[in-house]
Amino acid sequence: MSTQNFTLPDVGEGLTEAEIVAWKVAPGDTVAINDVICEIETAKSLVELPSPHAGVVGELLVAEGTTVEVGSPIITFVTDARDDAGPGVIATAEAPAPEEGGGSVLVGYGSGTGATSRRKRPAERPVRSSVGVIAKPPIRKLAKDLGVDLTTVTPTGADGEVTRDDVVTHASQASVFRNIETPEWGEVREETVPAPQSAPAGLARGLSPAPASAPASDDRTESIPVKGVRKATSSAMVQSAYSAPHVTVWKEIDASRTMELVKRLKASPDYADIRVSPLLIMARAVIWAARRTPMVNAAWIETEGGAEISVRHYVNLGIAAATPRGLLVPNIKDAQDLSMKDLARALNRLTLTAREGKTSPADQQGGTITITNIGVFGMDAGTPIINPGEAGIVAMGTISQKPWVVDGEVRPRWVTTVAGSFDHRVIDGDGMSRFIADVASVLEEPALLVE
């Protein structure tokens, strides 16, 4: 028998640290190679970390909620020296996400003679409720989050199992990203967030330690550690705001025909298994308009000799997503090649993955232009900050009925505002105005998409 230390690996994102979010094992547990041992959060994603050894868990060296550097020991294993897979080198490839929606699972530990996929734990196998519904625990949680009664869902999976797509189809939310209700004020007016255990309480947040006997209600402020996604987002936004000269333009438009098209698509048998929203038409409009004004899809690149502009002739369409973990901007690769139906499916997958907090690093890299749908929060317009590495971002406001002049008469119409922020180093006023006008034209008349 031998004791092996396992250090926090580089998960292939070029990052130097990660937070131990949750341990999935305890001392004394028996694990196989690639069994998930813990869940870690980097600045880009939530990742399940698989075991590089087969054996017994010895000691958990890092407490949950602690941020540690890559290369730091986090757990020990007691292994049979004959069967030990060795320290191994972690592969940066990610296993395909299973349909039940697990996180990005790293594979490739050991000498190659061990198992290449982790065992399914009993808790992950489909379970049958008292009313006969077969669904895995993640699917049940998703259904609960979306307010879907599983007994009303028609299953399409093997052996009558309810899948993620089945749940999404039955979700009642009309918006692409959920609005979260503001919680009521509780009896406790203030609270403090515990500091990471790697630093003295209070000092990690820049606070003076309070007397042990002081009640929580004596504190007048709450301090939240800046880490993970919030830390990465704040750094990226500051970098963008102070490096790219932002200019924002906007246009109010009559989107009544877009709303009519969305209604027809929802009623179409071809879209029976796909959620459709105005964001789908907006996405197609941005792709269409970017082809007509390629500079909005470009990027400013600093070089040793000065700078250059990289014009992309493809669209990796980013969708700014408000998730439980903070702001993420996953993107749909080569969106220009997708049909309306395939784009709708891609938006569905992106939305579901973001809601579950399981967006992978690969899905957040390589974006070329972004859409932020602030309308789901009841906002009419805004001045969004450009996602780093891009030259433009488009904001879609709420779509509501307003009086509108049509053929000299005032009529109720579905009206929205489209705004766009652009890097003025890359694109001038005429180009950005033409682009927003094109997006507006499509939302006013979606038939322009028919070519």
Side-chain angles (χ1 to χ4, degrees):
M1 304 296 288
S2 63
T3 300
Q4 302 285 340
N5 279 346
F6 175 52
T7 60
L8 180 68
D10 179 356
V11 296
E13 303 177 39
L15 302 172
T16 60
E17 63 181 20
E19 177 188 343
I20 306 298
V21 176
W23 285 105
K24 303 299 184 182
V25 295
D29 285 355
T30 299
V31 296
I33 292 175
N34 282 340
D35 272 1
V36 173
I37 57 174
C38 69
E39 194 174 58
I40 64 173
E41 181 178 28
T42 71
K44 295 183 179 180
S45 62
L46 204 62
V47 178
E48 287 181 344
L49 203 62
S51 172
H53 303 288
V56 176
V57 175
E59 182 181 2
L60 306 182
L61 303 177
V62 179
E64 292 181 352
T66 302
T67 299
V68 296
E69 294 183 354
V70 169
S72 301
I74 60 173
I75 189 174
T76 65
F77 296 93
V78 178
T79 64
D80 187 329
R82 295 171 300 176
D83 299 330
D84 181 40
V89 177
I90 188 170
T92 59
E94 293 181 359
E99 185 175 22
E100 60 269 31
S104 302
V105 180
L106 305 175
V107 297
Y109 287 97
S111 61
T113 59
T116 57
S117 61
R118 68 183 180 92
R119 294 174 298 153
K120 276 194 174 182
R121 298 181 182 181
E124 293 177 325
R125 299 192 182 102
V127 293
R128 182 183 294 271
S129 72
S130 59
V131 294
V133 176
I134 304 174
K136 295 181 176 68
I139 307 305
R140 293 180 179 277
K141 181 180 183 302
L142 175 64
K144 181 179 179 182
D145 291 343
L146 299 182
V148 172
D149 181 357
L150 285 175
T151 62
T152 66
V153 175
T154 301
T156 62
D159 300 323
E161 181 182 346
V162 175
T163 68
R164 289 195 309 173
D165 287 343
D166 297 335
V167 173
V168 171
T169 301
H170 283 75
S172 59
Q173 284 80 358
S175 61
V176 174
F177 298 106
R178 290 178 298 164
N179 284 318
I180 300 177
E181 295 182 359
T182 303
E184 296 180 358
W185 290 104
E187 295 181 0
V188 178
R189 292 173 61 85
E190 300 91 17
E191 65 175 331
T192 57
V193 177
Q197 298 185 22
S198 57
L203 297 182
R205 306 189 299 275
L207 303 175
S208 299
S213 60
S217 59
D218 287 347
D219 297 332
R220 295 175 60 84
T221 62
E222 176 185 359
S223 181
I224 301 175
V226 178
K227 55 185 179 179
V229 171
R230 175 56 56 192
K231 182 177 179 180
T233 300
S234 62
S235 176
M237 292 299 99
V238 169
Q239 175 189 357
S240 176
Y242 288 97
S243 61
H246 283 55
V247 175
T248 304
V249 296
W250 56 88
K251 180 176 176 60
E252 191 176 39
I253 61 174
D254 177 1
S256 298
R257 290 187 177 177
T258 284
M259 298 301 285
E260 292 171 2
L261 175 58
V262 169
K263 183 177 180 180
R264 289 198 298 271
L265 291 177
K266 287 182 176 180
S268 170
D270 291 340
Y271 287 78
D273 61 338
I274 305 173
R275 294 186 64 217
V276 178
S277 77
L279 181 61
L280 171 61
I281 314 304
M282 178 67 166
R284 285 297 297 264
V286 167
I287 296 168
W288 183 82
R291 187 172 61 185
R292 291 163 56 88
T293 309
M295 297 305 287
V296 303
N297 195 48
W300 179 274
I301 307 295
E302 298 286 351
T303 66
E304 292 183 1
E308 63 184 22
I309 296 174
S310 175
V311 182
R312 282 79 68 102
H313 300 293
Y314 60 92
V315 177
N316 289 348
L317 185 64
I319 305 294
T323 77
R325 295 179 52 238
L327 176 66
L328 299 178
V329 189
N331 61 80
I332 299 171
K333 301 294 191 291
D334 290 315
Q336 79 284 348
D337 294 334
L338 301 180
S339 66
M340 181 83 83
K341 187 184 299 184
D342 288 339
L343 183 60
R345 288 197 177 100
L347 285 170
N348 284 183
R349 288 192 297 269
L350 179 150
T351 301
L352 183 60
T353 304
R355 282 177 179 170
E356 294 177 340
K358 301 295 186 180
T359 303
S360 71
D363 285 341
Q364 299 176 67
Q365 297 170 354
T368 63
I369 190 169
T370 294
I371 298 174
T372 177
N373 186 7
I374 61 175
V376 297
F377 306 115
M379 297 295 101
D380 292 327
T383 56
I385 296 179
I386 302 166
N387 199 35
E390 301 174 14
I393 181 171
V394 184
M396 183 178 186
T398 186
I399 302 178
S400 58
Q401 282 198 319
K402 294 181 180 180
W404 195 264
V405 178
V406 180
D407 296 331
E409 298 181 359
V410 177
R411 302 177 185 175
R413 304 290 286 179
W414 291 102
V415 177
T416 188
T417 299
V418 175
S421 293
F422 303 92
D423 185 341
H424 216 321
R425 298 173 300 177
V426 177
I427 183 169
D428 295 327
D430 63 333
M432 64 181 73
S433 298
R434 185 167 56 250
F435 172 78
I436 289 298
D438 279 345
V439 171
S441 295
V442 172
L443 294 180
E444 289 175 340
E445 182 49 81
L448 290 173
L449 296 173
V450 179
E451 297 181 356

